[in-house]
């Protein structure tokens, strides 16, 4: 089995406060992994370190066998700028607050990175973008600006923007937490469709039912460590008291 | 002196005022951006130097700065000052002064952009230059237009300070005519000139704001 993401012994602390304590996690090609856990458990930090928005303090990280960061003499070192460019290409990230570029139309939001970062010809980038928009039910929004869209539409555009770079792995950081309940469905549906196409995904979420339905594996994090992991069945019928407590709260 | 002659004289002075205005904007807007980078730099000494510079430029009178810029080549470097240097000195002093104000406006604008914009750009693979010019700057420009309009309007009126270095801009002409004719009319007319000029400036800036209103 091909390992797409490999995190081992990842550590991160902020001002002496240890947020990630020795996290190891590998994700195989086509796998959908959900990360659940109470707030402050380190889920988002794990995602930020994995996508290199935050620097980790220790441990190692690789994508498709290419080392992005590793430990040397007790210090964490990152790959060279050029290698990093290649590695960056392997993954995409969908943010909780979408972070679309407000001054670009939907189409421009999607094609700009492929064109100006990956040097994809404009025509090809447009074709790619239009196919994505059609797939995500946004074909009629290509010329709209982000402020003209609902939250659910904005999040779908941001998924299209991430997909346009054709990443091997897609991370989601609480993709529906900023949305009204009636808009979460449309975003979850898109993620489910991607799962059906065997897109490799790592999803931080509070949507328990969703995680249960779509994940190959669920990871329960608390206080900076992985407390439990397993298939949805295993996690939802787990004996671990903390996991049961946490899931129980969501099921009311 | 007839009103027509007076207006013609003032209009001639207005050409000089306009030159000072345009050249100052042309150079101080980009210089201000560079200064704002210094002010926000990760390099602490550079940050301190820029901070002190901005503090001095904003904290002392432009009139004094004009005099310093004009006489500095002689008193500091012993270079003989030619009369042609007067206009250059005016532009230099204005640019150095206004860049300090613009730097702080840019800084406020840049710091108001949500960090998520930088993070999105980074994850998508944009380099730092692309991130700034493609993603951040257009949003900054939209946000800073109102304070820039304020500074620009102040600049129009500040051009009258060029008289300190005997550069005959419009208000200098007005004062000369007023003294000769023992009348306040030329001064009032000068006021009307400034007002109309600023009306045009405000209109242009309003247009720009409208142009930037395609996004939020």
């Amino acid at each position: 089995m091909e390992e797409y993401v490999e995190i081992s012994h990842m550590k991160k602390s902020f001002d002496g406060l240890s947020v990630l304590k020795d996290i190891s996690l590998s994700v195989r090609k086509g796998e959908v992994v959900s990360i659940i856990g109470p707030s402050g458990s380190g889920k988002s930090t794990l995602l930020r370190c994995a996508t290199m928005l935050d620097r980790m303090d220790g441990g190692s990280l690789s994508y498709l066998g290419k080392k992005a960061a590793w430990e040397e003499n007790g210090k964490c070192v990152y790959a060279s700028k050029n290698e990093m460019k290649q590695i960056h290409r392997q993954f995409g990230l969908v943010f909780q607050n979408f972070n679309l570029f407000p001054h670009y139309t939907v189409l421009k939001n999607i094609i700009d990175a492929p064109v100006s970062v990956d040097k994809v010809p404009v025509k090809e980038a447009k074709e790619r973008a239009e196919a994505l928009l059609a797939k995500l039910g946004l074909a009629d929004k290509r010329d709209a600006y982000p402020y003209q869209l609902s939250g659910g539409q904005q999040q779908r555009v941001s998924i299209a923007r991430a997909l346009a770079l054709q990443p091997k792995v897609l991370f989601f950081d609480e993709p529906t937490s900023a949305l009204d309940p009636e808009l979460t469905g449309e975003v979850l549906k898109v993620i489910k469709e991607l799962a059906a196409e065997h897109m490799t995904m790592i999803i931080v979420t509070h949507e328990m039912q969703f995680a249960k339905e779509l994940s190959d594996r669920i990871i329960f994090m608390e206080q900076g460590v992985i407390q439990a992991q397993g298939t949805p069945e295993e996690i939802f019928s787990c004996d671990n008291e903390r996991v049961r407590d946490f899931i129980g709260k969501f099921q009311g | 002196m007839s009103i027509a002659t007076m207006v013609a004289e003032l209009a001639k002075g207005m050409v000089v005022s306009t030159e000072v205005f345009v050249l100052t904007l042309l150079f101080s807007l980009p210089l201000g951006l560079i200064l704002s980078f210094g002010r926000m730099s990760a390099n602490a000494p550079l940050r301190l130097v820029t901070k002190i510079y901005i503090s001095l430029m904003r904290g002392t009178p432009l009139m004094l700065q004009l005099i310093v810029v004009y006489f500095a080549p002689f008193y500091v470097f012993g270079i003989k000052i030619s009369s042609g240097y007067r206009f250059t000195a005016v532009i230099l002093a204005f640019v150095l002064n206004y860049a300090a104000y613009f730097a702080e406006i840019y800084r406020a604008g840049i710091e108001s952009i949500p960090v998520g914009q930088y993070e999105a750009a980074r994850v998508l693979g944009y380099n730092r230059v692309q991130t700034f010019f493609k993603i951040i700057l257009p949003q900054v420009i939209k946000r800073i237009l109102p304070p820039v309009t304020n500074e620009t309007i102040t600049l129009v009126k500040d051009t009258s300070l060029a008289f300190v270095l005997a550069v005959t801009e419009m208000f200098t002409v007005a004062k000369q005519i007023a003294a000769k004719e023992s009348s306040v009319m030329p001064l009032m007319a000068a006021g009307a000139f400034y007002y109309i000029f600023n009306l045009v400036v405000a209109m242009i800036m309003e247009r720009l704001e409208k142009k930037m209103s395609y996004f939020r």
Side-chain angles (χ1 to χ4, degrees), chain A residues 32-34 203 210-218 231-232:
Chain A
V32 177
V33 175
S34 294
I203 308 164
F210 165 73
K212 192 177 173 180
E213 277 171 42
L214 135 139
S215 313
D216 295 311
R217 183 150 50 116
I218 295 181
T231 61

Side-chain angles (χ1 to χ4, degrees), chain A residues 118-170:
Chain A
D118 274 359
K119 311 293 173 208
V120 175
V122 177
K123 195 169 160 270
E124 195 191 322
K126 271 192 182 160
E127 284 165 8
R128 241 193 246 176
E130 267 155 16
L132 282 167
L133 285 173
K135 186 172 147 191
L136 304 193
L138 293 160
D140 55 330
K141 300 292 179 198
R142 55 165 271 173
D143 297 318
Y145 284 90
Y147 80 92
Q148 296 166 316
L149 305 178
S150 71
Q153 290 167 333
Q154 289 192 48
Q155 191 59 299
R156 283 186 282 153
V157 173
S158 90
I159 293 171
R161 180 175 71 172
L163 288 172
L165 287 162
Q166 304 180 325
K168 295 280 198 305
V169 184
L170 198 50

Side-chain angles (χ1 to χ4, degrees), chain A residues 48 52-53 88 91-93 95 99-104 112-113 116-117 119 145 147 161-162 165, chain B residues 114-127 130 134-136 138-139 213-216:
Chain A
R48 292 179 59 86
M52 293 179 271
L53 284 175
H88 246 281
F91 64 84
L93 168 63
F95 295 87
N99 292 334
L100 290 175
F101 303 132
H103 57 305
Y104 285 169
D112 196 65
S116 52
V117 176
K119 311 293 173 208
Y145 284 90
Y147 80 92
R161 180 175 71 172
L165 287 162
Chain B
V115 66
Q117 292 289 306
Y118 292 92
E119 291 181 345
R122 199 155 135 207
V123 170
L124 292 168
Y126 290 91
N127 63 34
Q130 287 173 323
K134 295 183 74 111
I135 310 299
I136 306 299
Q139 300 183 52
S213 68
Y214 66 89
F215 71 90
R216 267 179 224 162

Side-chain angles (χ1 to χ4, degrees), chain B residues 79-213:
Chain B
I79 301 164
K80 196 165 168 270
I81 300 166
S82 70
S83 68
Y85 177 58
R86 283 196 314 232
F87 185 75
T88 315
V90 166
I91 301 303
L92 203 57
F94 268 84
V95 168
L96 293 175
N97 178 279
Y98 271 81
Y101 284 93
F102 285 137
E104 287 296 276
I105 293 176
Y106 281 121
R107 183 171 70 92
I110 291 169
E111 287 179 347
S112 76
I113 303 298
V115 66
Q117 292 289 306
Y118 292 92
E119 291 181 345
R122 199 155 135 207
V123 170
L124 292 168
Y126 290 91
N127 63 34
R128 287 178 58 162
V129 175
Q130 287 173 323
T131 302
F132 185 75
F133 286 101
K134 295 183 74 111
I135 310 299
I136 306 299
L137 191 60
Q139 300 183 52
V140 168
I141 290 173
K142 180 187 170 76
R143 292 184 188 202
I144 65 172
L145 274 176
V148 166
T149 304
N150 263 339
E151 280 313 310
T152 309
I153 285 175
T154 305
L155 172 61
V156 171
K157 294 174 288 181
D158 272 358
T159 55
S160 64
L161 284 170
F163 86 91
V164 178
L165 300 186
V167 168
T168 323
E169 45 63 59
M170 197 257 299
F171 204 67
T172 311
V173 177
K175 280 187 296 186
Q176 285 164 354
I177 303 174
K180 202 163 68 192
E181 306 276 315
S182 306
S183 155
V184 292
M185 260 309 284
L187 300 179
M188 296 297 127
F193 265 89
Y194 284 124
Y195 182 72
I196 292 164
F197 196 115
N198 273 328
L199 219 50
V200 174
V201 168
M203 262 165 56
I204 292 170
M205 295 306 279
E206 206 176 317
R207 268 238 172 117
L208 276 177
E209 274 184 49
K210 269 219 182 96
K211 239 186 134 180
M212 299 295 285
S213 68

